Amino acid sequence: MEIKNVLVVDPLKGEFVGDVLWEEGIVRKVTPKGASTFDNILMPGFVDPHTHGCFGIDTMSIDDEKLERWERFLYTQGVTSFIPTTISAKKEDMIRVSNMIEEYVYKKSKTSVVGVHYEGPYININKRGAQNPSAIREATSREMEEILSPHVKLITMAPELKGFYDVLPLLKENGTVVSIGHSDANFEEIRQAFLNGVNRITHFPNALKGFHHRELGGSGAGLYFDFTLEMIVDGIHLDPNFVKLIYRLKGAERISLITDSISAAALEDGEYELGGLKVNVLEGKATLQDGTLAGSTLLFSKAVKNFKKFTDCSLKELAMVSSYNSAMNLNIQKIGRIEEGYLANFVLLDKELNVLETYLYGEKVYQR
Amino acid sequence: MEIKNVLVVDPLKGEFVGDVLWEEGIVRKVTPKGASTFDNILMPGFVDPHTHGCFGIDTMSIDDEKLERWERFLYTQGVTSFIPTTISAKKEDMIRVSNMIEEYVYKKSKTSVVGVHYEGPYININKRGAQNPSAIREATSREMEEILSPHVKLITMAPELKGFYDVLPLLKENGTVVSIGHSDANFEEIRQAFLNGVNRITHFPNALKGFHHRELGGSGAGLYFDFTLEMIVDGIHLDPNFVKLIYRLKGAERISLITDSISAAALEDGEYELGGLKVNVLEGKATLQDGTLAGSTLLFSKAVKNFKKFTDCSLKELAMVSSYNSAMNLNIQKIGRIEEGYLANFVLLDKELNVLETYLYGEKVYQR
């Protein structure tokens, strides 16, 4: 199959008008042309490594039918890879969700579900955000061995908690990327984690120790060290000027867009639930009763548009923050580029960045 | 006169071994040599635009003899330009100090006293730091006209206060540089001031609204916009990692070292006074009784060594932060470079940055 005369956006080679040819789900040939006019934009399919649900679906109560609906909904957003994300819960619930996802991925030969992201429960109760405090606890090697399997791609933990360094070797061995989040760690504690190979921060700088000139905290450490920073670019969690500042200070290379969306995303305002806590959604803003932000109702294509609008970045940089950086940081193979040998996972956009078509393994899975 | 075979450090041309020749206080010739070995380092004389005193001397109780002693003491620090700085006080006291300094400068043909810096009283009482609250007030055009004279080089004000934009044209007309400080202004208020030509921030980010991802405050605005940032690099006001971070994010071009020193600087620990408030100095740290930092006991040569140590910057960059940037930002003519036509104001340092000799208008005013 072939798409012709589109603006091809590759995070490394940049932007050029050309044709893209693929066979059996793999890109075989990318042909740049001399032309400078084009109608639509072809980018690597988007990657959302941090989403709790959307459209009434919640990771914690997942089944095959819901996962399939979730996948299909995300095609409308241009997402061709996502990692369903749990929140702090009992070990049994984590294992149940994890097994469900594992089986689903094995059953499907082609799926946008990449694995599972455990957000908690090994987080700091003082930075719990909208996580249920009753489920939060310290990590132990014994429990970690029970909940790990090869498809656990990502875990959000607080490095200042007891148990963190006990389980870190297990996580490395398992190929699970550790992301610092819901953490009250100070600058030195974050430095220590960084020096031990931790190179990602969850929804930066939400639920981290704030930036101060005499104690830089997790927020300052995220600026100081070469972390990949997840960011929720909904205009609510972060001021647009903050997004622009981080883009200018750190560069697009260090930013990974996520939605952190909850089941209320793509639905009406109203009352929802997250990990056993009541969540109220008003004008798209999800909060607990005390006003704490409780995930987002952000959709990925909106995050992409927002990032472009807030930062005025190039499309090449937009491809970095929307797919390539996540693929690299999370070691997801063969995605995030439009280049020979990579999966034919694409999103076709108009010039206003509206999603027109989505391709998964070369197959058109969405047409507007 | 001539100095031979030194490492000449110019903030624009960089570092090279050479000879510097001057006549009648003006550099006539700078001759780079092929050599790479040198014993000592010649930098532009240091500039301290923000100092309340030292060695028992306090701007608010200045007289000719004290000013002369202050000058002489600062030669030991390599300082060849400084701006005595008032704190929030009654109008009459400000005028008295200002007139005293003005007369002193006129009487002396060659002096390192450049003018006066009014730090307050038009500042935000909620961000007063160690300024006496009873003297803090809003600016009026009438009062401003009374306290201004051509040698008022610098004024620290809070742009969110009533009166700020009334007096701004008067300050511009007078050639007085406005620096944002002791301010609770939010990001938008700072942006407004920046768009109106204000391009300096006093002892960043001390006594500014803190950095938050949903309201960047004065601290975030200082990172966001192209302000020249005063910094107190004593290792107390700012964590060394913070200094390094700002250096990396903003570049040496945007940083101006100051001491913000009080009369206790270069003296023993003990009890001192600042603007009518009691200050306790313990291990060099000056605080009010409630623990609020009350200026510093930092000496300029120590600030220079600290900056080098904290950031590992080049000597060229060190010349920027220690003289050139202040000269440029405050429009002090003919200083801050080692270049033909510039004043022969130098500091000769050994390789550990200890001050060996200081030259003012070509005259050796200090020898260790």
Side-chain angles (χ1 to χ4, degrees):
Chain A
M1 272 181 74
E2 194 165 16
I3 294 185
K4 281 173 171 278
N5 293 311
V6 289
L7 185 73
V8 178
V9 180
D10 179 73
L12 300 189
K13 290 189 297 182
E15 307 155 24
F16 51 89
V17 177
D19 303 340
V20 178
L21 175 85
W22 65 92
E23 287 169 9
E24 294 173 353
I26 306 289
V27 174
R28 296 299 176 195
K29 202 161 168 55
V30 181
T31 314
K33 292 178 153 181
S36 63
T37 59
F38 60 90
D39 288 328
N40 297 319
I41 299 165
L42 192 71
M43 290 178 72
F46 300 143
V47 180
D48 187 355
H50 187 160
T51 169
H52 300 283
C54 64
F55 211 59
I57 302 157
D58 183 315
T59 306
M60 298 313 294
S61 59
I62 211 78
D63 61 26
D64 281 7
E65 181 272 329
K66 286 175 178 167
L67 261 173
E68 203 163 294
R69 264 204 293 138
W70 193 355
E71 275 204 77
R72 282 204 310 273
F73 176 78
L74 290 188
Y75 297 150
T76 73
Q77 298 299 312
V79 172
T80 55
S81 306
F82 73 104
I83 308 185
T85 304
T86 62
I87 61 170
S88 296
K90 283 185 292 187
K91 181 180 72 181
E92 292 70 25
D93 290 334
M94 295 169 71
I95 294 172
R96 179 178 46 73
V97 169
S98 173
N99 286 345
M100 174 68 65
I101 290 170
E102 184 167 12
E103 284 163 27
Y104 180 86
V105 171
Y106 283 137
K107 273 187 283 190
K108 295 271 230 182
S109 57
K110 295 169 184 174
T111 172
S112 58
V113 178
V114 173
V116 67
H117 173 182
Y118 291 141
E119 189 184 15
Y122 319 115
I123 57 175
N124 194 317
I125 200 158
N126 297 322
K127 290 290 183 183
R128 66 182 176 277
Q131 301 251 359
N132 196 328
S134 70
I136 292 171
R137 58 193 181 271
E138 289 166 352
T140 64
S141 298
R142 184 173 170 160
E143 179 166 318
M144 195 57 76
E145 277 168 356
E146 290 184 75
I147 64 164
L148 280 185
S149 79
H151 71 289
V152 179
K153 288 288 173 201
L154 185 54
I155 186 166
T156 292
M157 297 179 72
E160 72 274 24
L161 290 201
K162 196 161 161 286
F164 180 81
Y165 287 101
D166 298 336
V167 302
L168 196 54
L170 292 174
L171 291 161
K172 279 186 191 170
E173 199 186 338
N174 192 59
T176 301
V177 173
V178 177
S179 190
I180 295 170
H182 292 281
S183 158
D184 207 20
N186 63 24
F187 183 82
E188 280 307 317
E189 288 165 328
I190 304 269
R191 182 207 293 271
Q192 204 53 40
F194 183 76
L195 294 178
N196 278 278
V198 178
N199 66 358
R200 183 182 183 91
I201 295 182
T202 297
H203 49 49
F204 178 81
N206 299 111
L208 292 177
K209 192 180 187 73
F211 187 56
H212 189 275
H213 43 281
R214 286 190 286 274
E215 165 49 61
L216 278 70
S219 304
L223 293 176
Y224 194 97
F225 299 107
D226 269 342
F227 284 104
T228 291
L229 305 175
E230 289 186 359
M231 290 179 78
I232 309 172
V233 184
D234 60 355
I236 295 170
H237 282 73
L238 307 173
D239 185 276
N241 291 314
F242 179 84
V243 176
K244 182 159 190 176
L245 183 63
I246 299 305
Y247 161 72
R248 280 169 30 194
L249 298 180
K250 297 293 288 183
E253 294 79 359
R254 288 283 165 267
I255 297 171
S256 247
L257 296 184
I258 61 162
T259 60
D260 196 14
S261 60
I262 62 170
S263 63
L267 297 181
E268 301 290 307
D269 283 357
E271 278 205 351
Y272 293 87
E273 196 239 76
L274 181 70
L277 302 178
K278 202 184 281 181
V279 174
N280 192 48
V281 178
L282 185 64
E283 293 177 358
K285 181 174 173 177
T287 51
L288 301 184
Q289 286 186 312
D290 67 0
T292 303
L293 286 172
S296 85
T297 61
L298 180 63
L299 300 180
F300 207 93
S301 67
K302 180 69 175 169
V304 171
K305 281 184 189 177
N306 281 344
F307 192 80
K308 173 78 174 151
K309 183 177 161 196
F310 296 170
T311 65
D312 199 26
C313 71
S314 68
L315 290 174
K316 179 188 170 185
E317 291 173 319
L318 205 55
M320 288 180 182
V321 303
S322 62
S323 61
Y324 180 73
N325 295 347
S326 289
M328 294 297 287
N329 182 257
L330 300 173
N331 304 310
I332 312 174
Q333 301 296 309
K334 289 191 180 180
I335 65 160
R337 294 197 60 191
I338 300 184
E339 174 66 335
E340 287 159 35
Y342 279 74
L343 289 187
N345 284 4
F346 311 127
V347 53
L348 187 73
L349 305 147
D350 66 19
K351 286 174 181 167
E352 283 73 48
L353 302 179
N354 298 305
V355 177
L356 300 176
E357 300 176 0
T358 304
Y359 293 80
L360 181 75
Y361 291 82
E363 186 192 333
K364 192 190 290 184
V365 289
Y366 170 71
Q367 165 121 33
R368 192 169 70 165
Chain B
M1 271 182 74
E2 194 165 13
I3 294 186
K4 283 171 170 280
N5 292 311
V6 287
L7 185 74
V8 178
V9 180
D10 180 72
L12 301 188
K13 290 190 296 182
E15 306 155 25
F16 51 89
V17 177
D19 303 341
V20 178
L21 176 85
W22 65 92
E23 288 170 7
E24 294 171 354
I26 307 289
V27 175
R28 297 299 176 196
K29 201 161 170 54
V30 180
T31 313
K33 291 179 155 179
S36 62
T37 58
F38 60 90
D39 287 330
N40 297 319
I41 299 165
L42 192 70
M43 290 177 72
F46 300 143
V47 180
D48 187 355
H50 187 159
T51 169
H52 300 283
C54 63
F55 211 58
I57 301 158
D58 182 315
T59 305
M60 298 312 294
S61 60
I62 211 80
D63 62 24
D64 282 7
E65 180 271 329
K66 286 174 178 166
L67 262 173
E68 203 163 294
R69 262 204 293 139
W70 193 353
E71 276 205 76
R72 282 205 309 274
F73 177 77
L74 291 187
Y75 297 150
T76 71
Q77 297 300 312
V79 172
T80 55
S81 306
F82 73 104
I83 309 185
T85 304
T86 62
I87 62 170
S88 296
K90 283 186 293 188
K91 182 181 72 180
E92 293 70 25
D93 290 335
M94 295 169 72
I95 294 172
R96 179 178 47 74
V97 170
S98 174
N99 286 344
M100 173 68 65
I101 290 170
E102 185 167 10
E103 284 163 28
Y104 180 86
V105 171
Y106 283 138
K107 272 186 282 189
K108 294 272 229 180
S109 58
K110 296 169 183 173
T111 171
S112 58
V113 178
V114 173
V116 67
H117 173 181
Y118 290 141
E119 189 184 15
Y122 319 115
I123 57 175
N124 194 317
I125 201 160
N126 297 322
K127 290 289 183 183
R128 65 182 176 276
Q131 301 252 357
N132 196 329
S134 70
I136 292 170
R137 58 192 180 270
E138 289 166 353
T140 64
S141 298
R142 184 174 171 158
E143 178 166 318
M144 196 56 78
E145 276 167 357
E146 291 185 74
I147 64 164
L148 281 185
S149 78
H151 69 290
V152 179
K153 289 288 173 201
L154 184 54
I155 186 166
T156 292
M157 299 179 71
E160 71 276 23
L161 289 202
K162 196 161 161 285
F164 180 80
Y165 287 100
D166 298 336
V167 303
L168 196 54
L170 293 174
L171 291 161
K172 279 185 192 171
E173 200 185 337
N174 192 60
T176 301
V177 172
V178 178
S179 190
I180 295 170
H182 292 281
S183 160
D184 207 22
N186 62 25
F187 183 80
E188 280 307 317
E189 289 166 326
I190 304 269
R191 182 208 293 272
Q192 205 52 40
F194 183 76
L195 294 178
N196 278 279
V198 178
N199 67 358
R200 183 182 183 90
I201 294 183
T202 296
H203 48 47
F204 179 82
N206 299 111
L208 291 177
K209 191 180 186 72
F211 188 55
H212 189 274
H213 43 282
R214 286 191 285 274
E215 166 46 62
L216 279 69
S219 303
L223 293 176
Y224 194 96
F225 299 107
D226 269 342
F227 284 103
T228 292
L229 306 174
E230 290 185 358
M231 290 179 77
I232 308 172
V233 184
D234 60 355
I236 294 169
H237 283 72
L238 307 172
D239 186 277
N241 291 314
F242 179 85
V243 176
K244 181 159 189 176
L245 183 63
I246 300 305
Y247 162 73
R248 279 168 31 191
L249 298 181
K250 298 292 288 183
E253 294 79 359
R254 288 285 164 264
I255 296 170
S256 246
L257 297 183
I258 60 163
T259 59
D260 195 14
S261 60
I262 62 170
S263 62
L267 297 181
E268 300 291 307
D269 283 357
E271 279 204 352
Y272 293 88
E273 196 241 74
L274 182 69
L277 302 178
K278 201 184 282 180
V279 173
N280 191 49
V281 177
L282 185 64
E283 293 177 359
K285 181 174 174 177
T287 51
L288 300 184
Q289 285 186 311
D290 67 0
T292 304
L293 286 173
S296 85
T297 60
L298 180 62
L299 301 180
F300 207 93
S301 67
K302 180 69 174 171
V304 170
K305 281 184 189 176
N306 281 344
F307 191 81
K308 174 78 175 151
K309 182 178 161 194
F310 296 171
T311 66
D312 199 27
C313 70
S314 68
L315 290 175
K316 178 188 172 187
E317 292 174 318
L318 205 57
M320 288 181 181
V321 303
S322 62
S323 60
Y324 180 73
N325 295 347
S326 290
M328 294 297 287
N329 182 258
L330 300 172
N331 305 309
I332 311 173
Q333 302 297 309
K334 289 192 180 178
I335 65 160
R337 294 197 60 191
I338 299 184
E339 175 65 334
E340 287 158 35
Y342 279 74
L343 289 186
N345 285 3
F346 312 127
V347 52
L348 187 73
L349 305 146
D350 66 19
K351 287 174 180 168
E352 282 74 47
L353 301 179
N354 298 304
V355 177
L356 300 177
E357 299 175 2
T358 304
Y359 293 80
L360 182 75
Y361 291 83
E363 186 192 333
K364 191 188 290 184
V365 289
Y366 171 71
Q367 165 120 34
R368 192 168 71 166

